[in-house]
Amino acid sequence: MSGTGGSPTGAPIPAPWAEAVGGVAERAGLDRRLVTVERLVDGPPGTAQPGTASPSTADYRAEAGRLTVRGTDAVAASVALARYVRAHLGTRLSWQRPYVGKSSLPDAPRTTISSPHEVRYYLNVVTFGYSAPFWGWDRWEREIDWMALHGVTHPLMLVGHEAVLGETFRRAGLPDAEAAAWLGGAAHFPWTFMGGMHSFGGPLPSRWAQRRVELARRVLGRMRELGMTPVLPAFGGHVPPALVRPRPGSAHHASEYPAGEIEWQGWRIPVLHPGSARFQELFASFAQVQRELLGPGSGYFAVDPYIESVPPSGDVEYLRAAGRGTYRALAAADPDAVWVLQGWPFHYKGAFWTPDRVAAYLRDVPADRTLVLDLWGEHVPLHGALLADGAPLAGRPWVWCALHNFGGRPALFGDLRGLVRDMRALLDGVPHLRGVGLAPEAIENNEVFYELATDLAWDDAPLSPADLDVWLDRFVLDRYGLSDPHPGTESEPGTERSGPSGLIGAVRENPAQTALRAWHTINSTLYGPGRTRSSPTPVIARPWAAALPFPAQRSAGEAIPGGTTADGGAAGTEPPTPSSNVDAENDPAIPAALPRLAEAVRDLIEVRDTLPGPTPGSAADPARDVLSADIAELTGHVLAQGTRVHVRGILAAARDGDPDGVRAHMRRLRVDLLTLDDLAGARTETRVATWVDAARAWGDTDAERAAMEREARSLVSVWGEQHNGLHDYSGRHWQGLVQGLYLPRWQAWADWLADAAAVGPVPPDADPSALRERIVALEEAWRADTISGRPEPGPGPGRGPSRDGR
């Protein structure tokens, strides 16, 4: 048969998933009656990557007002649908613009796309805490559509896992109240699953488990309709103390592998050795409960017992038995199980995971029954050290992933050229590569990075810097609904500036040229070479002393050196407290770029002013909304990074014993923070009230809604208890958070310094005890600021929060 994808007679081949892909098209705004979906039985010859299965291939063609999409699978067909919308309707379907809103379908020649990657992985365990803990079906449906349109085949699916784990504990004899207390709250549950913490937040609402299981079944059902392979969680052996020992009467009374304990950020968690009979018993029960509640699995299971903690022992035989026991339990539950594990521990706790320990851990696990995620491939790739020939994990299938975002903190960054370079290099025959993926801690940020990364999984992606310039031009024009600028347009005197793709002489009357000029600045600064880590925002720094840096906040993704004894035990009980966000790790190029970025803001505002404004009774222009969101985000970056000047001014005045100077600089800082708060309030998605309302919506009583709100507030402020080293790790530039928490903290700091400066110059080592007591009080008051009797939000987009975010 030829590569046309038809039958031997040339007749169309029905696709069993045609209805599912048609639903994606309809929800994207296309007339479903005008879209035909067919199965493509084979692709162009020579497109398969050596050592992989046949690639996903799809094509589209439009004629006489009808669109025909064909694919080897539903996801590939969905990607072809997205390509048609982009190329012929001028819209890139994305998080911010998921709807095309076109009533006619212009003709298009047959266009084929293909991916050499069998696995296209998506999501991080903690995405279910930083972005998705309170999503309902409507938001999950949009995200699954995004996955399909962007080519995702293997999404991690953690929804409902707390119900599975809770029921497993109850069947093991743990009372309901103890099980609920151990599981904690919704937003922090991913860390309970990974064995990082327990018993924080909550209690969950009484109907939580029922509603989450219903949601999980719906999510899994849609993923399966679209041919995806959901990666479900497995049991990692982390248990409440009462479940370390079997119940009386159990056949398993003793074990050669006693339970141990691991530590993370001050929490201590009992962990069963996977080789123990007790672990095997609970794993089997967990697998049975998961099948009962969520249906059959896909064969892919995620489990990382020691994700950011060291195992109880560093003995290689102990670790070998642990890996062997984990796989034995998986295989007993599903003989075809593939163990999906992150390479993250081998970087994060690199001092512990020496090559001999890494090799021992998986020595007895069949290579073809593992899939290793090289989680932070764009910054700290591990495949060269761990997966290459002769390395500890040689021969194991693996997936290159970009992690990118940490904690959902506001940051515009990403090395776009590096992304093209790195993903292009994967096509040169890297051994045992199964695919590529995205594993961000939080999503709905830096869309340009995620759109490029998902495009790069297909054969129509940019392969060089010049190709990237062309891609970026198209991205910008599609994003804002702008027409291609006319080449050779004469510029006004004094307006010549270079732009992407060789554009010279952008003229102010041409909005496309102006938008491209703005993005040339954005790309060459925020998304330039080496921008693989975010620049910290000073706004969310925790003022903690009379000197910089404030040593009270952990940065993103750094390996934690030391902290363990030779046998892998914890050397101390204090969590790590590396640098703050104001000065440490600050790249001088970031503040140096602020004037240029401010000019880019003005350019984008000029473009927005050329677009038709809303008229009474008309629908909002999605391109204008996306442009306004980009303006707000870029303006917020300029404002936030500019606050460093005020912070340093406050400190300098305190050193000089000048209380009036301290107060004057604080007034300037206050103005900028209130401006940032107002800017965030213009968008629903950047209001703390939106996050809080989503959490409260899961409660049925005032007490349940208050508990949900308190935990939602905790995650984006103190994070956990005051003892942890994650304060503000998930801080955001949100209305109500800036004005309600960050501004009062900075004001308390300035007041403390001003009072001290009234007596004389304030030394860097001034006793901060009074300040810290005040900061902690402010933080605890903000996260406890729930009102049990607060009325629930009504429908409609016009409802906005008050000045304090409520």
Side-chain angles (χ1 to χ4, degrees):
M1 185 180 295
S2 71
T4 61
S7 69
T9 62
I13 300 177
W17 28 261
E19 280 299 307
V21 176
V24 173
E26 183 174 47
R27 289 185 294 275
L30 300 180
D31 187 336
R32 190 171 185 168
R33 297 167 298 178
L34 303 179
V35 179
T36 300
V37 181
E38 299 173 0
R39 185 181 176 196
L40 187 65
V41 295
D42 61 354
T47 55
Q49 181 81 352
T52 68
S54 298
S56 294
T57 302
D59 62 32
Y60 65 80
R61 182 183 181 187
E63 190 173 32
R66 295 193 63 87
L67 171 65
T68 299
V69 173
R70 304 185 304 173
T72 52
D73 54 85
V75 168
S78 299
V79 174
L81 176 70
R83 291 295 197 272
Y84 171 80
V85 169
R86 181 191 312 172
H88 300 280
L89 299 182
T91 299
R92 178 178 280 270
L93 297 168
S94 65
W95 284 314
Q96 287 186 290
R97 196 175 178 182
Y99 191 81
V100 65
K102 301 285 187 179
S103 57
S104 61
L105 301 178
D107 287 356
R110 180 151 326 269
T111 303
T112 301
I113 57 170
S114 183
S115 174
H117 300 293
E118 178 187 353
V119 173
R120 298 183 295 278
Y121 178 82
Y122 183 52
L123 292 175
N124 190 307
V125 172
V126 300
T127 321
F128 292 83
Y130 289 129
S131 290
F134 313 122
W135 285 2
W137 169 244
D138 288 349
R139 182 61 189 84
W140 267 112
E141 183 175 51
R142 291 202 308 274
E143 193 64 22
I144 298 168
D145 284 350
W146 185 96
M147 295 180 198
L149 293 164
H150 290 77
V152 171
T153 59
H154 289 66
L156 181 65
M157 219 302 286
L158 202 62
V159 177
H161 178 63
E162 64 278 26
V164 175
L165 197 59
E167 178 61 19
T168 302
F169 289 166
R170 283 186 284 273
R171 291 187 185 184
L174 196 69
D176 287 357
E178 291 184 32
W182 180 267
L183 294 176
H188 291 81
F189 177 74
W191 292 270
T192 298
F193 159 60
M194 292 187 293
M197 63 189 302
H198 61 85
S199 308
F200 182 84
L204 291 168
S206 59
R207 291 197 306 128
W208 175 267
Q210 172 193 340
R211 294 175 67 186
R212 296 297 283 189
V213 168
E214 291 171 357
L215 175 61
R217 289 172 177 168
R218 205 168 181 183
V219 169
L220 286 167
R222 178 62 56 79
M223 288 177 173
R224 289 166 179 149
E225 286 174 12
L226 286 165
M228 297 177 186
T229 303
V231 178
L232 291 175
F235 177 65
H238 314 109
V239 294
L243 294 186
V244 169
R245 298 290 181 187
R247 283 188 292 177
S250 169
H252 307 295
H253 292 295
S255 172
E256 62 179 305
Y257 299 111
E261 186 178 67
I262 56 177
E263 183 275 337
W264 183 82
Q265 291 290 326
W267 277 279
R268 308 196 74 84
I269 303 97
V271 59
L272 300 171
H273 189 284
S276 69
R278 182 58 167 157
F279 176 93
Q280 299 291 319
E281 177 183 55
L282 287 177
F283 194 108
S285 176
F286 171 89
Q288 177 63 31
V289 172
Q290 185 160 266
R291 284 191 295 270
E292 290 175 10
L293 296 184
L294 304 183
S298 66
Y300 285 75
F301 298 93
V303 58
D304 296 284
Y306 317 115
I307 189 65
E308 288 190 353
S309 305
V310 297
S313 170
D315 179 75
V316 291
E317 288 304 318
Y318 178 96
L319 296 172
R320 183 177 182 178
R324 182 172 62 243
T326 299
Y327 174 70
R328 181 158 63 91
L330 273 170
D334 182 342
D336 297 322
V338 173
W339 179 3
V340 180
L341 70 157
Q342 301 177 40
W344 183 258
F346 310 136
H347 149 70
Y348 190 81
K349 290 292 186 181
F352 174 86
W353 286 106
T354 54
D356 59 329
R357 286 171 173 168
V358 174
Y361 186 47
L362 295 182
R363 184 167 296 146
D364 296 334
V365 182
D368 63 348
R369 291 295 147 195
T370 56
L371 186 65
V372 181
L373 304 179
D374 192 353
L375 209 69
W376 202 8
E378 83 280 20
H379 184 74
V380 186
L382 298 178
H383 53 268
L386 290 181
L387 294 152
D389 290 342
L393 300 182
R396 294 191 180 275
W398 64 283
V399 174
W400 183 96
C401 294
L403 203 162
H404 186 257
N405 178 273
F406 286 85
R409 294 199 299 274
L412 297 173
F413 76 103
D415 183 350
L416 302 186
R417 275 172 167 70
L419 194 60
V420 172
R421 178 198 65 231
D422 293 347
M423 293 187 70
R424 173 65 184 84
L426 298 174
L427 301 179
D428 294 334
V430 179
H432 309 292
L433 176 72
R434 288 281 299 281
V436 295
L438 288 168
E441 288 197 349
I443 58 173
E444 299 177 296
N445 63 82
N446 292 280
E447 279 200 328
V448 65
F449 183 89
Y450 294 93
E451 292 296 313
L452 177 60
T454 49
D455 276 8
L456 285 167
W458 297 81
D459 62 0
D460 60 347
L463 299 176
S464 69
D467 290 345
L468 176 60
D469 285 341
V470 174
W471 181 93
L472 186 62
D473 283 358
R474 190 72 257 163
F475 170 84
V476 174
L477 298 176
D478 291 344
R479 187 168 181 79
Y480 303 144
L482 301 172
S483 299
D484 279 304
H486 299 294
T489 302
E490 293 297 324
S491 62
E492 292 182 351
T495 62
E496 285 199 5
R497 272 176 279 180
S498 62
S501 302
L503 292 172
I504 303 293
V507 293
R508 293 202 174 273
E509 283 75 12
N510 190 321
Q513 289 277 21
T514 306
L516 291 172
R517 181 174 64 227
W519 268 89
H520 174 64
T521 297
I522 295 167
N523 180 43
S524 63
T525 54
L526 301 175
Y527 297 104
R531 299 287 174 209
T532 56
R533 285 188 57 150
S534 62
S535 178
T537 166
V539 170
I540 69 174
R542 189 189 195 204
W544 201 237
L548 295 177
F550 309 134
Q553 182 183 20
R554 189 168 75 83
S555 300
E558 77 284 8
I560 300 296
T564 59
T565 61
D567 65 355
T573 58
E574 292 299 315
T577 55
S579 59
S580 76
N581 281 329
V582 174
D583 270 355
E585 298 184 326
N586 179 33
D587 183 345
I590 294 295
L594 295 183
R596 294 178 60 204
L597 290 171
E599 189 173 353
V601 170
R602 289 190 288 271
D603 277 344
L604 293 180
I605 291 173
E606 181 179 318
V607 173
R608 185 180 61 187
D609 290 344
T610 69
L611 300 179
T615 57
S618 65
D621 178 6
R624 185 183 179 90
D625 288 347
V626 170
L627 181 52
S628 294
D630 286 351
I631 291 168
E633 197 163 30
L634 189 59
T635 303
H637 171 86
V638 174
L639 266 174
Q641 296 298 329
T643 60
R644 298 178 195 277
V645 174
H646 308 316
V647 172
R648 294 190 185 106
I650 289 170
L651 280 172
R655 297 286 182 273
D656 293 339
D658 177 10
D660 292 338
V662 171
R663 295 188 181 96
H665 283 291
M666 182 60 219
R667 284 193 294 271
R668 297 185 189 104
L669 177 58
R670 181 181 183 84
V671 168
D672 280 359
L673 293 179
L674 289 176
T675 301
L676 182 62
D677 192 80
D678 285 339
L679 186 70
R683 299 163 56 208
T684 302
E685 63 269 28
T686 52
R687 302 171 189 158
V688 77
T690 302
W691 174 255
V692 163
D693 290 346
R696 291 176 65 86
W698 286 91
D700 292 323
T701 67
D702 288 345
E704 288 180 350
R705 287 188 282 268
M708 292 294 290
E709 177 175 355
R710 185 182 190 278
E711 200 205 344
R713 285 173 169 264
S714 291
L715 189 76
V716 297
S717 59
V718 180
W719 201 94
E721 301 291 2
Q722 285 290 339
H723 71 258
N724 74 72
L726 289 168
H727 293 87
D728 307 294
Y729 182 85
S730 188
R732 323 280 174 106
H733 289 166
W734 282 353
Q735 186 194 49
L737 191 53
V738 175
Q739 191 234 4
L741 177 61
Y742 305 144
L743 175 55
R745 288 199 313 202
W746 285 116
Q747 187 67 60
W749 179 67
D751 290 345
W752 173 70
L753 287 172
D755 289 345
V759 179
V762 183
D765 59 352
D767 181 5
S769 300
L771 168 69
R772 294 179 180 181
E773 184 177 343
R774 175 63 178 151
I775 295 298
V776 169
L778 287 168
E779 292 169 345
E780 293 300 331
W782 188 85
R783 74 163 157 184
D785 186 19
T786 63
I787 301 175
S788 296
R790 181 181 301 163
E792 294 309 299
R799 189 189 60 82
S802 64
R803 283 288 286 163
D804 66 353
R806 297 196 302 270

